[in-house]
């Protein structure tokens, strides 16, 4: 199953109608010939509603599997970031930001092969998908640049780790949808599949300044930061349907090494490590390729099929997680997999369910709970593999303590004597928190 079945169906419907028109040497409806003067004139033409794939977008699947996002906006807008719109033209603000650039790879050559109608359809298909996916994960569309989008993942005074997690989730979902789901629709109608490349970087409070550029009635509120510029450069160097990230992302959330690799560059007839996105006499900054397929495969509801593509599988057995202030707290909040960074000190109650109802252990089953911790905190404590002192053996719940920063996962195994074991995993992020105050000053 795909996250965007409705979206893909709407796209195929448009491509089907467009394909028939293209085969009949369809002339552009935007240009009409005046028979009396033998000159061409431009006449506005209304785009059919069904060709605006944004109308067919269904976010229910994103909500179901990735959960609601506490950083998403009530309304989708473009331009100045709503959280910083109060800034006057003569004010600046130091505040962190995750910048993401998304580009339609090879789009400059589309006009050489396709009609204007086809080019518009292909670009609009991807850009509307980017808008919807990024918006779900709390991203703000700062700018659409023809064949690209610039997205800012940040909420005022929020935890920077949440912004990084949201950006990685959004970019991963986009790469999977474009390269595996939507590409088949274009191929089936004789069109080259759309491809994207993504660059992401994070700048801390000290590294990002928000301010207006331009003059009165002709200005833009945006960020001044090396890391905003580097996000664009990372996107330019990314390969097809891939995500390239800056080192700040790794350090801030202590990303699993399994999800990253050193980029390669072709030099002097061979591929060599391309470690740096920028090098100078006093500053070297590392770049990495982010393996979105391996990352998404760490979610319990994704599975890699025989062809290597990811698909969503609804399993009867699931783990439910509730974040509480303490072990005795019974009024916690539901937590979806890798939804945001749980603050250190919180408690997490995991519950075993079957068809979304509480599960009751059979007498021939043995239930084992384990935690696999990642990051420097867990390594220092020599607690990368935790068994909870076997306190929760044969229980249908487990209470864990969020004590180490990093990307961890809980594992629940239901051992059965005469059938296959049931193995469930639930990934989470834990972070130390964000308490620094931002600095507002006059220019």
């Amino acid at each position: 199953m795909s996250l965007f079945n409705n979206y893909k169906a709407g796209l195929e419907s448009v491509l089907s109608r467009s394909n028939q028109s293209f085969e009949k040497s369809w002339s552009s409806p935007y240009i009409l010939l005046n028979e009396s003067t033998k000159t061409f004139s431009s006449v506005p033409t209304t785009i059919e509603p069904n060709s605006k794939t944004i109308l067919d977008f269904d976010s229910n699947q994103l909500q179901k599997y990735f959960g609601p996002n506490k950083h998403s906006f009530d309304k989708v807008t473009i331009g100045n970031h709503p959280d910083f719109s109060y800034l006057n033209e003569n004010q600046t603000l130091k505040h962190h930001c995750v910048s993401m650039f998304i580009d339609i790879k090879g789009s400059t050559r589309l006009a050489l092969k396709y009609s204007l109608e086809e080019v518009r359809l292909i670009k609009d298909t991807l850009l509307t998908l980017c808008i919807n996916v990024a918006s779900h994960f709390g991203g703000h569309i700062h700018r659409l640049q023809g064949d690209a989008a610039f997205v800012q993942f940040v909420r005022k005074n929020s935890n920077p780790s949440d912004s990084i997690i949201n950006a990685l989730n959004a970019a991963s979902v986009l790469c999977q949808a474009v390269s595996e789901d939507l590409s088949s629709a274009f191929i089936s109608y004789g069109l080259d599949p759309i491809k994207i490349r993504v660059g992401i970087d994070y700048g801390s409070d000290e590294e990002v300044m928000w301010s207006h550029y331009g003059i009165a009635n002709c200005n833009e509120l945006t960020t001044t930061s090396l890391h905003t510029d580097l996000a664009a450069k990372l996107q330019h160097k990314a390969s097809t349907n891939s995500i390239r990230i800056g080192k700040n992302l790794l350090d801030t959330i202590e990303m699993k090494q399994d999800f990253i690799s050193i980029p390669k560059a072709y030099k002097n007839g061979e591929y060599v490590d391309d470690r740096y996105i920028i090098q100078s006499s006093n500053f070297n900054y590392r770049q990495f390729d982010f393996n979105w397929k391996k990352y998404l495969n760490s979610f319990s509801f994704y599975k890699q099929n025989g062809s290597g593509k990811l698909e969503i599988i609804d399993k009867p057995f699931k783990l439910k997680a509730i974040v509480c202030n303490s072990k005795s707290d019974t009024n916690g909040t539901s937590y979806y997999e890798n939804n945001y960074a749980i603050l250190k000190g919180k408690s997490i109650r995991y519950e075993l369910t079957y068809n979304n109802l509480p599960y009751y252990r059979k007498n021939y089953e043995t239930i084992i709970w384990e935690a696999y911790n990642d990051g420097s905190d867990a390594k220092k404590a020599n607690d990368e593999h935790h068994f909870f002192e076997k306190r929760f053996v044969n229980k249908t719940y487990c209470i864990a303590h969020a004590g180490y920063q990093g990307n961890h996962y809980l594992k629940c195994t239901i051992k059965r004597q005469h059938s296959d074991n049931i193995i469930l995993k639930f990934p989470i992020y834990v972070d130390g928190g964000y308490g620094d105050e931002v600095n507002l000053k006059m220019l």
Side-chain angles (χ1 to χ4, degrees):
M1 182 178 67
S2 167
L3 280 175
F4 309 112
N5 283 331
N6 288 355
Y7 185 87
K8 182 179 178 182
L11 172 62
E12 288 177 337
S13 176
V14 173
L15 288 175
S16 176
R17 293 194 304 275
S18 299
N19 191 55
Q20 295 172 3
S21 300
F22 299 148
E23 289 176 352
K24 297 176 182 178
S25 299
W26 180 32
S27 61
S28 170
Y30 297 96
I31 306 296
L32 297 181
L33 179 64
N34 187 315
E35 290 296 336
S36 61
T37 62
K38 300 299 181 183
T39 59
F40 290 93
S41 61
S42 298
V43 178
T45 302
T46 301
I47 298 173
E48 292 183 40
N50 286 337
S51 72
K52 290 295 290 180
T53 53
I54 191 172
L55 299 178
D56 298 323
F57 185 86
D58 184 2
S59 63
N60 289 332
Q61 295 294 84
L62 277 177
Q63 186 92 355
K64 176 181 176 180
Y65 294 102
F66 289 90
N69 195 289
K70 63 181 181 180
H71 296 297
S72 62
F73 295 88
D74 294 332
K75 185 173 66 173
V76 178
T77 60
I78 189 171
N80 296 347
H81 195 290
D83 283 5
F84 307 103
S85 59
Y86 65 89
L87 282 176
N88 295 326
E89 293 178 7
N90 63 340
Q91 288 182 310
T92 66
L93 174 72
K94 292 290 187 67
H95 194 287
H96 64 265
C97 183
V98 175
S99 300
M100 181 168 81
F101 284 84
I102 310 165
D103 174 62
I104 305 175
K105 185 172 173 58
S107 62
T108 54
R109 294 190 297 272
L110 289 175
L112 301 177
K113 185 173 182 180
Y114 304 121
S115 69
L116 294 179
E117 289 74 24
E118 288 176 294
V119 174
R120 189 208 69 82
L121 174 62
I122 293 171
K123 289 185 178 182
D124 192 47
T125 296
L126 180 58
L127 291 177
T128 53
L129 180 65
C130 291
I131 291 169
N132 282 284
V133 171
S135 297
H136 173 83
F137 288 104
H140 170 69
I141 311 301
H142 181 62
R143 191 183 305 138
L144 297 179
Q145 298 171 265
D147 56 359
F150 173 26
V151 188
Q152 297 165 329
F153 286 87
V154 59
R155 297 306 302 264
K156 191 173 184 296
N157 295 335
S158 64
N159 190 335
S161 293
D162 289 352
S163 297
I164 293 173
I165 293 166
N166 281 328
L168 293 174
N169 286 345
S172 298
V173 167
L174 280 171
C175 282
Q176 191 278 327
V178 170
S179 65
E180 298 185 350
D181 293 338
L182 298 186
S183 62
S184 60
F186 283 89
I187 292 172
S188 64
Y189 289 100
L191 297 172
D192 291 338
I194 53 177
K195 301 169 185 176
I196 64 171
R197 52 186 180 182
V198 184
I200 313 173
D201 204 13
Y202 161 68
S204 65
D205 289 343
E206 297 76 21
E207 297 169 317
V208 180
M209 184 176 70
W210 295 75
S211 66
H212 288 267
Y213 277 79
I215 61 176
N217 300 319
C218 185
N219 59 47
E220 177 184 65
L221 173 66
T222 189
T223 55
T224 301
S225 174
L226 170 66
H227 297 283
T228 300
D229 299 337
L230 288 179
K233 191 171 182 179
L234 288 163
Q235 169 262 304
H236 181 72
K237 295 192 71 174
S239 56
T240 300
N241 294 327
S242 73
I243 303 168
R244 188 161 293 191
I245 60 177
K247 189 175 185 296
N248 277 4
L249 276 74
L250 276 66
D251 295 341
T252 304
I253 64 171
E254 294 208 28
M255 184 181 294
K256 281 181 180 290
Q257 295 297 307
D258 291 349
F259 300 146
I260 61 171
S261 61
I262 299 173
K264 299 290 184 180
Y266 192 72
K267 294 181 180 179
N268 300 322
E270 61 178 341
Y271 285 96
V272 297
D273 289 346
D274 189 14
R275 297 177 180 272
Y276 300 98
I277 186 65
I278 186 173
Q279 285 184 285
S280 66
S281 58
N282 58 356
F283 182 73
N284 295 325
Y285 189 67
R286 293 286 302 275
Q287 61 176 341
F288 299 87
D289 283 331
F290 181 71
N291 192 325
W292 58 264
K293 182 168 288 190
K294 186 176 290 187
Y295 175 68
L296 288 181
N297 203 31
S298 71
F299 287 74
S300 66
F301 48 85
Y302 272 109
K303 181 180 179 181
Q304 203 161 357
N305 61 27
S307 64
K309 294 184 177 181
L310 294 175
E311 56 185 2
I312 289 181
I313 304 294
D314 270 323
K315 303 173 183 178
F317 281 98
K318 294 179 183 177
L319 291 177
K320 177 182 178 182
I322 301 171
V323 177
C324 307
N325 290 324
S326 64
K327 292 182 179 180
S328 59
D329 185 8
T330 58
N331 298 315
T333 57
S334 295
Y335 180 86
Y336 288 77
E337 298 176 39
N338 288 340
N339 186 259
Y340 61 89
I342 301 170
L343 297 183
K344 282 185 180 180
K346 298 284 187 179
S347 289
I348 311 161
R349 180 184 175 93
Y350 298 93
E351 298 175 356
L352 185 59
T353 68
Y354 184 80
N355 288 332
N356 297 320
L357 296 174
Y359 182 70
Y360 297 93
R361 184 181 73 90
K362 309 297 188 298
N363 57 12
Y364 56 84
E365 295 175 337
T366 300
I367 301 177
I368 299 174
W369 298 88
E370 306 166 76
Y372 287 83
N373 301 314
D374 193 78
S376 59
D377 287 347
K379 290 178 182 178
K380 289 177 182 177
N382 194 26
D383 196 18
E384 294 171 275
H385 190 189
H386 188 76
F387 287 96
F388 301 99
E389 299 175 346
K390 299 183 178 180
R391 290 193 307 260
F392 300 103
V393 171
N394 287 339
K395 295 185 183 297
T396 57
Y397 73 92
C398 173
I399 300 177
H401 177 72
Y404 308 127
Q405 178 164 325
N407 189 197
H408 324 298
Y409 71 87
L410 185 93
K411 179 181 178 182
C412 177
T413 303
I414 305 174
K415 291 189 174 181
R416 293 173 161 179
Q417 295 178 357
H418 304 294
S419 59
D420 293 337
N421 295 338
I422 305 296
I423 300 176
L424 305 171
K425 295 180 180 181
F426 195 106
I428 67 168
Y429 280 101
V430 174
D431 186 77
Y434 174 70
D436 295 336
E437 294 184 357
V438 295
N439 178 34
L440 175 67
K441 67 177 183 178
M442 302 294 289
L443 281 173

